[in-house]
Amino acid sequence: MPQLFALAREYADSSAREVVMFSSVMRAQLSLAWVIGPPLAFMLALNYGFTTMFSIAAGIFVISLALIAIKLPSVPRVEQPSEEAAALAQAGGWQDKNVRMLFIASTLMWTCNTMYIIDMPLWISLELGLPDKLAGILMGTAAGLEIPAMILAGYYVKRFGKRRMMIAAVAAGVLFYLGLIFFHSRTALLVLQLFNAVFIGIIAGIGMLWFQDLMPGRAGAATTLFTNSISTGVILAGVIQGAVAQSYGHYAVYWVIAVISVVTLWMTGRVKDV
């Protein structure tokens, strides 16, 4: 996945396409897959069995492999002079405090999101007494709303800049997690998904591009760093959610998420714009 988006950045640059919108549309396609994929998988498994479901999944991989082999463009690598490459690495690598700060902030963003995803189904059924199926409805609603959020973010990023849009996204995340603490009705939880969609829709696309801009000439490394922040956040989320829920209950998890999101907002504001 990191290499796919790195290729997208290099292809957009080489073909004079609008980089932000091109990447935003690609990222929106991932959210669309999350909207379509799970219901389709459940339908196939329940009506035709797991063998059919996995056979169709394997067939989709074969089609993808054929498309990659035949249609995926190859972008020639631009070799940098050794001194220039060293300067780029020195200026845009891990030793850059802005890259480090953005990595930590991105990690905390995905920690919040994953803690919510892990805990929410248990929380709404065990503590709020709401129907189990509401968890799927909330996740599907958020994924569906993320698509226009990503596309609109790609459209407006030139006007407002990546830093301001990321700060606005994290602020929406803070409102979302605070809202989960105080509003527990079915309608309120559905409305709050709008803030969740703005949060994830923007950081998933603009966050990756911000890494790439902070590390010019190293799209692959920048995208991998962004992806690693997601993986690190997932690991931290599992540990923190499990420990807090076991010791203090599911309700306390959302206070912890809210505090982490506020810290994330402060750290995001300390990263320079590019």
Short mmCIF file of all heavy atoms in Angstrom, two decimals, residues 43-85:
data_model
loop_
_atom_site.label_atom_id
_atom_site.label_comp_id
_atom_site.label_asym_id
_atom_site.label_seq_id
_atom_site.Cartn_x
_atom_site.Cartn_y
_atom_site.Cartn_z
N MET A 43 -22.91 -11.25 2.76
CA MET A 43 -23.95 -11.80 1.89
C MET A 43 -23.49 -13.10 1.23
O MET A 43 -24.23 -14.10 1.21
CB MET A 43 -24.32 -10.76 0.83
CG MET A 43 -25.47 -11.19 -0.09
SD MET A 43 -24.92 -12.11 -1.56
CE MET A 43 -24.08 -10.83 -2.46
N LEU A 44 -22.27 -13.12 0.72
CA LEU A 44 -21.75 -14.31 0.06
C LEU A 44 -21.57 -15.46 1.05
O LEU A 44 -21.92 -16.61 0.75
CB LEU A 44 -20.41 -13.99 -0.62
CG LEU A 44 -20.48 -13.07 -1.85
CD1 LEU A 44 -19.09 -12.66 -2.28
CD2 LEU A 44 -21.22 -13.75 -2.99
N ALA A 45 -21.03 -15.15 2.24
CA ALA A 45 -20.78 -16.19 3.23
C ALA A 45 -22.09 -16.80 3.73
O ALA A 45 -22.20 -18.03 3.90
CB ALA A 45 -19.97 -15.64 4.39
N LEU A 46 -23.09 -15.96 3.98
CA LEU A 46 -24.35 -16.45 4.54
C LEU A 46 -25.17 -17.23 3.50
O LEU A 46 -25.84 -18.20 3.84
CB LEU A 46 -25.16 -15.28 5.09
CG LEU A 46 -24.60 -14.60 6.35
CD1 LEU A 46 -25.41 -13.37 6.70
CD2 LEU A 46 -24.57 -15.57 7.52
N ASN A 47 -25.13 -16.78 2.25
CA ASN A 47 -25.98 -17.39 1.22
C ASN A 47 -25.31 -18.50 0.43
O ASN A 47 -25.98 -19.43 -0.02
CB ASN A 47 -26.49 -16.32 0.26
CG ASN A 47 -27.43 -15.33 0.92
OD1 ASN A 47 -28.42 -15.73 1.55
ND2 ASN A 47 -27.15 -14.06 0.81
N TYR A 48 -23.98 -18.43 0.29
CA TYR A 48 -23.29 -19.39 -0.57
C TYR A 48 -22.15 -20.12 0.13
O TYR A 48 -21.55 -21.02 -0.45
CB TYR A 48 -22.76 -18.68 -1.83
CG TYR A 48 -23.84 -17.98 -2.61
CD1 TYR A 48 -24.01 -16.60 -2.51
CD2 TYR A 48 -24.71 -18.69 -3.44
CE1 TYR A 48 -25.00 -15.94 -3.22
CE2 TYR A 48 -25.71 -18.05 -4.15
CZ TYR A 48 -25.85 -16.68 -4.04
OH TYR A 48 -26.83 -16.03 -4.74
N GLY A 49 -21.80 -19.69 1.34
CA GLY A 49 -20.75 -20.37 2.07
C GLY A 49 -19.39 -19.67 1.94
O GLY A 49 -19.17 -18.85 1.04
N PHE A 50 -18.49 -20.04 2.85
CA PHE A 50 -17.17 -19.40 2.88
C PHE A 50 -16.31 -19.79 1.68
O PHE A 50 -15.47 -19.02 1.23
CB PHE A 50 -16.44 -19.77 4.18
CG PHE A 50 -16.99 -19.04 5.38
CD1 PHE A 50 -17.87 -19.65 6.25
CD2 PHE A 50 -16.62 -17.73 5.64
CE1 PHE A 50 -18.39 -18.99 7.34
CE2 PHE A 50 -17.11 -17.05 6.74
CZ PHE A 50 -18.01 -17.68 7.59
N THR A 51 -16.49 -21.01 1.16
CA THR A 51 -15.70 -21.43 0.00
C THR A 51 -15.95 -20.51 -1.18
O THR A 51 -15.02 -20.05 -1.86
CB THR A 51 -16.03 -22.88 -0.38
OG1 THR A 51 -15.73 -23.73 0.72
CG2 THR A 51 -15.21 -23.31 -1.60
N THR A 52 -17.23 -20.20 -1.42
CA THR A 52 -17.57 -19.29 -2.51
C THR A 52 -17.02 -17.90 -2.26
O THR A 52 -16.46 -17.25 -3.16
CB THR A 52 -19.10 -19.22 -2.67
OG1 THR A 52 -19.60 -20.52 -2.97
CG2 THR A 52 -19.48 -18.25 -3.78
N MET A 53 -17.16 -17.42 -1.02
CA MET A 53 -16.69 -16.07 -0.69
C MET A 53 -15.19 -15.94 -0.94
O MET A 53 -14.72 -14.99 -1.59
CB MET A 53 -17.00 -15.74 0.77
CG MET A 53 -16.63 -14.32 1.16
SD MET A 53 -16.65 -14.04 2.94
CE MET A 53 -15.15 -14.90 3.43
N PHE A 54 -14.41 -16.91 -0.44
CA PHE A 54 -12.95 -16.83 -0.60
C PHE A 54 -12.54 -17.07 -2.05
O PHE A 54 -11.52 -16.54 -2.51
CB PHE A 54 -12.26 -17.81 0.33
CG PHE A 54 -12.26 -17.38 1.77
CD1 PHE A 54 -12.86 -18.15 2.76
CD2 PHE A 54 -11.67 -16.19 2.15
CE1 PHE A 54 -12.87 -17.75 4.08
CE2 PHE A 54 -11.67 -15.77 3.47
CZ PHE A 54 -12.28 -16.55 4.44
N SER A 55 -13.30 -17.87 -2.78
CA SER A 55 -13.00 -18.09 -4.20
C SER A 55 -13.17 -16.79 -4.99
O SER A 55 -12.36 -16.45 -5.86
CB SER A 55 -13.91 -19.17 -4.77
OG SER A 55 -13.68 -20.42 -4.14
N ILE A 56 -14.25 -16.05 -4.68
CA ILE A 56 -14.47 -14.76 -5.35
C ILE A 56 -13.38 -13.77 -4.96
O ILE A 56 -12.88 -13.02 -5.82
CB ILE A 56 -15.87 -14.23 -5.01
CG1 ILE A 56 -16.94 -15.13 -5.65
CG2 ILE A 56 -16.03 -12.78 -5.46
CD1 ILE A 56 -18.36 -14.74 -5.29
N ALA A 57 -12.99 -13.78 -3.69
CA ALA A 57 -11.90 -12.90 -3.25
C ALA A 57 -10.61 -13.21 -4.01
O ALA A 57 -9.89 -12.31 -4.46
CB ALA A 57 -11.68 -13.03 -1.75
N ALA A 58 -10.31 -14.52 -4.16
CA ALA A 58 -9.12 -14.92 -4.91
C ALA A 58 -9.22 -14.47 -6.37
O ALA A 58 -8.22 -14.04 -6.97
CB ALA A 58 -8.94 -16.44 -4.83
N GLY A 59 -10.42 -14.58 -6.94
CA GLY A 59 -10.61 -14.13 -8.32
C GLY A 59 -10.37 -12.64 -8.48
O GLY A 59 -9.79 -12.19 -9.48
N ILE A 60 -10.78 -11.85 -7.48
CA ILE A 60 -10.55 -10.41 -7.52
C ILE A 60 -9.04 -10.12 -7.48
O ILE A 60 -8.55 -9.22 -8.17
CB ILE A 60 -11.28 -9.72 -6.36
CG1 ILE A 60 -12.80 -9.83 -6.57
CG2 ILE A 60 -10.88 -8.25 -6.25
CD1 ILE A 60 -13.63 -9.33 -5.40
N PHE A 61 -8.30 -10.91 -6.69
CA PHE A 61 -6.85 -10.73 -6.66
C PHE A 61 -6.23 -11.04 -8.02
O PHE A 61 -5.29 -10.37 -8.45
CB PHE A 61 -6.23 -11.63 -5.58
CG PHE A 61 -6.14 -10.99 -4.24
CD1 PHE A 61 -7.03 -11.31 -3.24
CD2 PHE A 61 -5.17 -10.04 -3.97
CE1 PHE A 61 -6.96 -10.71 -1.99
CE2 PHE A 61 -5.08 -9.44 -2.73
CZ PHE A 61 -5.98 -9.77 -1.73
N VAL A 62 -6.73 -12.06 -8.69
CA VAL A 62 -6.22 -12.40 -10.03
C VAL A 62 -6.46 -11.25 -11.00
O VAL A 62 -5.58 -10.87 -11.79
CB VAL A 62 -6.87 -13.70 -10.54
CG1 VAL A 62 -6.49 -13.94 -12.01
CG2 VAL A 62 -6.44 -14.89 -9.69
N ILE A 63 -7.67 -10.67 -10.95
CA ILE A 63 -7.99 -9.53 -11.80
C ILE A 63 -7.07 -8.36 -11.48
O ILE A 63 -6.55 -7.68 -12.39
CB ILE A 63 -9.46 -9.13 -11.64
CG1 ILE A 63 -10.38 -10.25 -12.15
CG2 ILE A 63 -9.76 -7.82 -12.38
CD1 ILE A 63 -11.85 -10.03 -11.83
N SER A 64 -6.83 -8.13 -10.20
CA SER A 64 -5.94 -7.04 -9.78
C SER A 64 -4.53 -7.26 -10.30
O SER A 64 -3.86 -6.33 -10.78
CB SER A 64 -5.93 -6.92 -8.26
OG SER A 64 -7.20 -6.63 -7.76
N LEU A 65 -4.06 -8.50 -10.21
CA LEU A 65 -2.72 -8.83 -10.69
C LEU A 65 -2.60 -8.56 -12.19
O LEU A 65 -1.59 -8.01 -12.67
CB LEU A 65 -2.40 -10.30 -10.40
CG LEU A 65 -1.03 -10.82 -10.87
CD1 LEU A 65 0.09 -10.02 -10.21
CD2 LEU A 65 -0.90 -12.30 -10.55
N ALA A 66 -3.64 -8.92 -12.94
CA ALA A 66 -3.63 -8.68 -14.39
C ALA A 66 -3.61 -7.18 -14.69
O ALA A 66 -2.87 -6.72 -15.58
CB ALA A 66 -4.84 -9.34 -15.03
N LEU A 67 -4.40 -6.41 -13.96
CA LEU A 67 -4.42 -4.97 -14.17
C LEU A 67 -3.07 -4.34 -13.86
O LEU A 67 -2.60 -3.44 -14.57
CB LEU A 67 -5.51 -4.33 -13.30
CG LEU A 67 -6.96 -4.59 -13.73
CD1 LEU A 67 -7.93 -4.07 -12.68
CD2 LEU A 67 -7.24 -3.91 -15.07
N ILE A 68 -2.43 -4.82 -12.78
CA ILE A 68 -1.12 -4.29 -12.41
C ILE A 68 -0.10 -4.60 -13.50
O ILE A 68 0.69 -3.75 -13.91
CB ILE A 68 -0.66 -4.88 -11.05
CG1 ILE A 68 -1.52 -4.32 -9.93
CG2 ILE A 68 0.82 -4.56 -10.80
CD1 ILE A 68 -1.33 -5.03 -8.60
N ALA A 69 -0.12 -5.85 -13.98
CA ALA A 69 0.87 -6.27 -14.97
C ALA A 69 0.68 -5.55 -16.31
O ALA A 69 1.65 -5.24 -17.00
CB ALA A 69 0.78 -7.79 -15.17
N ILE A 70 -0.58 -5.27 -16.68
CA ILE A 70 -0.85 -4.75 -18.01
C ILE A 70 -1.00 -3.23 -18.03
O ILE A 70 -0.49 -2.55 -18.93
CB ILE A 70 -2.14 -5.40 -18.58
CG1 ILE A 70 -1.94 -6.92 -18.71
CG2 ILE A 70 -2.51 -4.80 -19.92
CD1 ILE A 70 -3.22 -7.66 -19.04
N LYS A 71 -1.67 -2.68 -17.02
CA LYS A 71 -2.10 -1.29 -17.09
C LYS A 71 -1.35 -0.33 -16.16
O LYS A 71 -1.32 0.87 -16.40
CB LYS A 71 -3.60 -1.19 -16.78
CG LYS A 71 -4.50 -1.81 -17.86
CD LYS A 71 -4.41 -1.02 -19.14
CE LYS A 71 -5.42 -1.53 -20.17
NZ LYS A 71 -5.34 -0.77 -21.44
N LEU A 72 -0.78 -0.84 -15.06
CA LEU A 72 -0.17 0.08 -14.09
C LEU A 72 1.02 0.78 -14.72
O LEU A 72 1.94 0.12 -15.22
CB LEU A 72 0.26 -0.68 -12.84
CG LEU A 72 0.53 0.18 -11.61
CD1 LEU A 72 -0.77 0.80 -11.09
CD2 LEU A 72 1.18 -0.64 -10.50
N PRO A 73 1.05 2.12 -14.72
CA PRO A 73 2.15 2.83 -15.38
C PRO A 73 3.46 2.69 -14.62
O PRO A 73 3.47 2.56 -13.39
CB PRO A 73 1.67 4.29 -15.38
CG PRO A 73 0.74 4.38 -14.22
CD PRO A 73 0.06 3.04 -14.13
N SER A 74 4.54 2.72 -15.37
CA SER A 74 5.87 2.68 -14.78
C SER A 74 6.47 4.07 -14.89
O SER A 74 6.58 4.63 -15.98
CB SER A 74 6.75 1.66 -15.50
OG SER A 74 8.04 1.65 -14.95
N VAL A 75 6.85 4.64 -13.75
CA VAL A 75 7.41 5.99 -13.73
C VAL A 75 8.92 5.88 -13.62
O VAL A 75 9.43 5.31 -12.63
CB VAL A 75 6.85 6.81 -12.55
CG1 VAL A 75 7.44 8.22 -12.55
CG2 VAL A 75 5.33 6.87 -12.63
N PRO A 76 9.67 6.40 -14.58
CA PRO A 76 11.14 6.32 -14.49
C PRO A 76 11.65 7.03 -13.25
O PRO A 76 11.18 8.13 -12.91
CB PRO A 76 11.61 7.03 -15.77
CG PRO A 76 10.43 7.02 -16.68
CD PRO A 76 9.23 7.07 -15.81
N ARG A 77 12.58 6.40 -12.58
CA ARG A 77 13.16 6.98 -11.38
C ARG A 77 14.14 8.06 -11.77
O ARG A 77 15.00 7.87 -12.64
CB ARG A 77 13.87 5.91 -10.55
CG ARG A 77 14.48 6.45 -9.27
CD ARG A 77 15.07 5.35 -8.43
NE ARG A 77 15.71 5.85 -7.23
CZ ARG A 77 15.07 6.17 -6.13
NH1 ARG A 77 13.75 6.02 -6.07
NH2 ARG A 77 15.70 6.62 -5.07
N VAL A 78 14.00 9.21 -11.16
CA VAL A 78 14.91 10.33 -11.41
C VAL A 78 16.08 10.22 -10.44
O VAL A 78 15.91 10.37 -9.22
CB VAL A 78 14.19 11.68 -11.24
CG1 VAL A 78 15.16 12.83 -11.49
CG2 VAL A 78 13.00 11.77 -12.19
N GLU A 79 17.25 9.95 -10.97
CA GLU A 79 18.43 9.81 -10.13
C GLU A 79 18.92 11.18 -9.69
O GLU A 79 19.11 12.09 -10.50
CB GLU A 79 19.54 9.08 -10.89
CG GLU A 79 19.21 7.64 -11.24
CD GLU A 79 19.08 6.77 -10.01
OE1 GLU A 79 19.64 7.16 -8.96
OE2 GLU A 79 18.42 5.72 -10.09
N GLN A 80 19.13 11.32 -8.40
CA GLN A 80 19.65 12.57 -7.85
C GLN A 80 21.17 12.48 -7.74
O GLN A 80 21.71 11.41 -7.45
CB GLN A 80 19.06 12.81 -6.45
CG GLN A 80 17.56 12.90 -6.42
CD GLN A 80 17.06 14.25 -6.86
OE1 GLN A 80 17.84 15.14 -7.12
NE2 GLN A 80 15.75 14.39 -6.98
N PRO A 81 21.87 13.58 -7.98
CA PRO A 81 23.30 13.58 -7.69
C PRO A 81 23.53 13.23 -6.23
O PRO A 81 22.72 13.55 -5.37
CB PRO A 81 23.73 15.03 -8.01
CG PRO A 81 22.67 15.54 -8.93
CD PRO A 81 21.39 14.85 -8.54
N SER A 82 24.65 12.61 -5.95
CA SER A 82 24.90 12.08 -4.60
C SER A 82 24.83 13.17 -3.54
O SER A 82 24.25 12.98 -2.47
CB SER A 82 26.25 11.38 -4.55
OG SER A 82 27.28 12.29 -4.94
N GLU A 83 25.42 14.34 -3.82
CA GLU A 83 25.40 15.42 -2.82
C GLU A 83 23.98 15.93 -2.59
O GLU A 83 23.57 16.19 -1.47
CB GLU A 83 26.31 16.56 -3.26
CG GLU A 83 27.81 16.21 -3.25
CD GLU A 83 28.66 17.41 -3.58
OE1 GLU A 83 28.08 18.52 -3.74
OE2 GLU A 83 29.88 17.26 -3.67
N GLU A 84 23.24 16.06 -3.68
CA GLU A 84 21.85 16.54 -3.54
C GLU A 84 21.01 15.52 -2.81
O GLU A 84 20.16 15.87 -1.99
CB GLU A 84 21.27 16.80 -4.93
CG GLU A 84 19.86 17.40 -4.89
CD GLU A 84 19.31 17.67 -6.27
OE1 GLU A 84 20.09 17.57 -7.23
OE2 GLU A 84 18.11 17.98 -6.36
N ALA A 85 21.21 14.23 -3.12
CA ALA A 85 20.46 13.18 -2.44
C ALA A 85 20.76 13.18 -0.95
O ALA A 85 19.87 13.01 -0.12
CB ALA A 85 20.80 11.82 -3.06
#
